Amino acid sequence: MNKKICLFGKKVITFFCLSIFASQCFAQSSSVSAKEASDSTLNYLRIINSVFNFAQQNYVEPVDPKVLYEGAMKGMMEALGDPYTEYLTGARLRSLNETTSGNFGGVGLSIMKEVASADKPGYVEVVAPIENTPGEKAGIIAQDYITAIDGEPTPEMTMEQVLSKLRGAVGTSVELTLLRGKKTEFKRTLIRAIIEVPTVKHAMIGTVGYMQLLQFTPETANHVQECIDEFKRKKFTGLIIDLRNNPGGLITSAVEIADKFIDSGTIVSTKSRLELQNSVFTAKPENTRIPKDLPIIVLINRGSASASEILSGALKDYHIGYLVGEKTYGKGSVQQMVSLTDEDGFKMTMARYYTPSDVNIDKVGILPDREVVFDAFTEEEGTIFAEMSKDNIIGDYVEKHPSMTEADIAAYADTLHATYPINLRFLRRLIRLEAFRFRGGITYDLDFDVQLNTALDILRTEDFKTLVKNTKTLKELQDERLKNENLAVSQ
């Protein structure tokens, strides 16, 4: 069977050849129906078939059977109430294929669309911006909500419609209306560009190797090895793995990278009520590339999902990596995406994945060993930021001063602060990103990045061996949480 498993944007995707899927999956369904399906299930199938035929033969106007078929498929998937289970048309299938292949025209935002609820009216959530794309350059961040595209409200759109509006010819524009927090609403006009899915960025910070994993692609593990080799040549004394805003990618890539750090044992497992969906990925001693005594810190935040959580969860459970930052997204379910015809298919949650200590983090996430958060905007600062962004103050200034130094950046931030009194560190960050975007971007930002600075301080001043040894596995944390919940209920 030709099968490819990957996680991208919080999705685990399995591609099957149609003929193989039809012969195996539906054959299995027939077997299950004969042995286990209840009379009511068979009765519902008959009713669905009867209604389909009745509508086609009796509706006041001629009905295209494809319309009935697509409506039934869409309704069936939506009835499960799972944001990761959906009916897919050809456009949606092509969109996912373009994304995983790593080259497409768009705005550079990894997004998801949850089922509408009282708290969230079906907005499109930004999982993470892709680095050095129109979305990131416009200042859009993880957990922003896209409430409208070119003035059309997103709650009324399907995911397919959202993607078709975001993607388009290179050089064309699209206007997004965004919501940050509960009240800060602002607009951005983005110019579509060729989006190339990035992999790894790296640098030495003193004697510490810094490695930012941006996406888990087929080449990420190779690039990680290149970074490790370079760090070894430069005699690194510690390593920082930055998984912040990494929405996922190939599960095999995450496993291959984890295998460089873990010498034996389970890296990740998947569990389902179907035996064929159960699997265990195990580390092999011959694949280990990192010495056991090397201090390793992993940076995580709410934009770290899927494959990022597999890697960070494995390093935590084996007391290899110390986690710094914020709680991860919490996407621990596994989907299959199947092409039914050349034009459509479906994606359905089939299993959940578990960390080495046998914990599923779906809808829970992974807590850092040391929480470090960025200063939050006040409501007033949010309003000021929206006003400043609307007028493109920084972009216009940098365009006229393309060779700004750090001193220039600090001076202009002070000038801006007099009119726009928001966090000075954040102002310098905005100016720096704009100033460096035409120079290839920046690998890290020690002036702004409090989480990275904390990681460096830990490596330089603390007893890392004792620190990481005393951390709790995800299983221990889960048991502790459940115990506290039971105590609260009993009281």
Side-chain angles (χ1 to χ4, degrees):
M1 182 184 296
N2 181 17
K3 183 165 66 173
K4 179 183 180 183
I5 302 177
C6 64
L7 293 86
F8 186 84
K10 305 188 183 69
K11 299 175 180 70
V12 179
I13 306 170
T14 305
F15 293 94
F16 283 86
C17 292
L18 175 60
S19 59
I20 295 175
F21 175 80
S23 64
Q24 293 190 4
C25 183
F26 292 123
Q28 180 190 30
S29 297
S30 299
S31 175
V32 171
S33 297
K35 296 179 180 179
E36 301 177 11
S38 65
D39 291 340
S40 61
T41 299
L42 294 174
N43 188 46
Y44 285 134
L45 290 174
R46 295 189 189 99
I47 292 173
I48 291 172
N49 186 58
S50 297
V51 172
F52 186 98
N53 291 330
F54 188 89
Q56 191 176 6
Q57 295 171 12
N58 295 280
Y59 185 66
V60 66
E61 296 176 357
V63 180
D64 184 347
K66 181 180 178 182
V67 172
L68 297 178
Y69 161 74
E70 290 183 347
M73 291 292 289
K74 180 180 178 182
M76 195 183 307
M77 299 298 109
E78 290 180 351
L80 296 174
D82 175 18
Y84 306 115
T85 295
E86 61 179 314
Y87 174 63
L88 307 165
T89 65
R92 177 76 166 119
L93 289 174
R94 288 192 298 273
S95 171
L96 286 173
N97 286 334
E98 289 172 354
T99 301
T100 53
S101 67
N103 196 314
F104 54 93
V107 296
L109 297 175
S110 176
I111 59 174
M112 68 173 293
K113 194 174 192 295
E114 294 189 347
V115 177
S117 65
D119 297 329
K120 296 179 181 178
Y123 292 146
V124 174
E125 181 180 351
V126 176
V127 177
I130 298 175
E131 183 158 341
N132 201 33
T133 63
E136 190 208 37
K137 292 174 182 177
I140 299 172
I141 62 176
Q143 287 198 333
D144 279 349
Y145 287 95
I146 303 174
T147 60
I149 303 174
D150 285 334
E152 184 177 344
T154 55
E156 302 170 9
M157 297 183 195
T158 63
M159 190 60 164
E160 177 191 347
Q161 291 171 327
V162 170
L163 290 169
S164 67
K165 287 183 174 294
L166 292 179
R167 294 183 176 179
V170 173
T172 58
S173 65
V174 57
E175 182 188 73
L176 305 186
T177 304
L178 298 116
L179 178 66
R180 181 169 297 171
K182 295 183 178 180
K183 296 183 179 180
T184 303
E185 187 174 84
F186 56 100
K187 294 184 178 181
R188 289 287 187 274
T189 298
L190 307 181
I191 306 300
R192 296 182 180 92
I194 291 294
I195 307 300
E196 296 181 359
V197 179
T199 53
V200 180
K201 294 175 66 176
H202 72 286
M204 289 292 293
I205 307 177
T207 61
V208 175
Y210 171 77
M211 184 167 60
Q212 182 183 20
L213 277 58
L214 305 168
Q215 200 77 250
F216 289 89
T217 72
E219 295 302 318
T220 304
N222 291 333
H223 291 313
V224 166
Q225 187 58 54
E226 291 170 0
C227 293
I228 292 172
D229 293 340
E230 180 178 331
F231 294 156
K232 285 182 177 179
R233 288 194 298 270
K234 295 182 178 179
K235 303 186 186 311
F236 69 142
T237 59
L239 176 64
I240 296 175
I241 303 173
D242 192 346
L243 297 176
R244 293 173 298 178
N245 296 325
N246 183 325
L250 293 171
I251 187 173
T252 49
S253 177
V255 169
E256 189 175 349
I257 293 168
D259 204 2
K260 297 178 186 296
F261 298 85
I262 302 167
D263 57 11
S264 63
T266 298
I267 294 174
V268 66
S269 61
T270 61
K271 299 181 183 181
S272 169
R273 65 190 180 105
L274 301 176
E275 185 176 352
L276 61 88
Q277 294 295 324
N278 297 331
S279 59
V280 179
F281 296 87
T282 306
K284 298 177 181 179
E286 60 267 27
N287 294 332
T288 307
R289 296 292 181 270
I290 296 293
K292 279 190 174 183
D293 59 348
L294 183 76
I296 300 171
I297 290 183
V298 183
L299 297 177
I300 55 173
N301 68 0
R302 60 193 180 186
S304 308
S306 292
S308 295
E309 292 171 300
I310 287 176
L311 179 56
S312 56
L315 295 179
K316 176 174 175 58
D317 274 350
Y318 283 108
H319 301 281
I320 293 173
Y322 187 79
L323 275 52
V324 172
E326 303 166 70
K327 186 173 74 171
T328 62
Y329 185 88
K331 199 284 182 181
S333 61
V334 180
Q335 286 73 46
Q336 272 191 6
M337 189 181 78
V338 182
S339 297
L340 295 173
T341 70
D342 291 338
E343 298 180 351
D344 73 339
F346 64 87
K347 178 166 62 70
M348 182 179 292
T349 297
M350 300 289 284
R352 292 184 174 88
Y353 70 74
Y354 289 74
T355 70
S357 64
D358 202 33
V359 169
N360 175 252
I361 52 83
D362 197 45
K363 299 179 181 177
V364 177
I366 298 174
L367 289 171
D369 297 310
R370 185 170 303 182
E371 183 179 39
V372 181
V373 299
F374 288 91
D375 295 334
F377 267 11
T378 64
E379 185 176 331
E380 181 181 359
E381 284 180 319
T383 302
I384 295 171
F385 169 72
E387 177 187 348
M388 181 181 67
S389 301
K390 179 181 178 181
D391 295 334
N392 195 32
I393 301 294
I394 294 175
D396 289 345
Y397 184 88
V398 171
E399 188 175 351
K400 297 174 183 176
H401 304 81
S403 301
M404 296 181 73
T405 64
E406 281 295 328
D408 295 331
I409 290 171
Y412 180 49
D414 290 337
T415 301
L416 269 183
H417 191 262
T419 305
Y420 302 98
I422 60 178
N423 187 290
L424 261 174
R425 184 188 289 115
F426 182 71
L427 274 177
R428 290 195 296 270
R429 169 70 170 176
L430 292 176
I431 299 167
R432 189 175 293 111
L433 286 175
E434 191 69 27
F436 279 84
R437 70 189 179 100
F438 295 114
R439 309 180 208 173
I442 54 178
T443 303
Y444 57 86
D445 186 348
L446 293 181
D447 174 53
F448 172 76
D449 198 337
V450 294
Q451 294 170 341
L452 176 57
N453 276 297
T454 298
L456 290 168
D457 287 341
I458 291 172
L459 292 175
R460 291 166 179 163
T461 64
E462 300 190 33
D463 182 354
F464 183 84
K465 185 176 181 180
T466 301
L467 192 69
V468 75
K469 180 181 178 181
N470 291 333
T471 59
K472 296 179 180 179
T473 66
L474 291 173
K475 177 63 173 175
E476 290 171 334
L477 290 173
Q478 181 189 69
D479 291 344
E480 188 178 271
R481 175 172 55 82
L482 292 175
K483 181 180 179 180
N484 291 335
E485 289 176 356
N486 292 333
L487 285 174
V489 170
S490 64
Q491 293 174 356

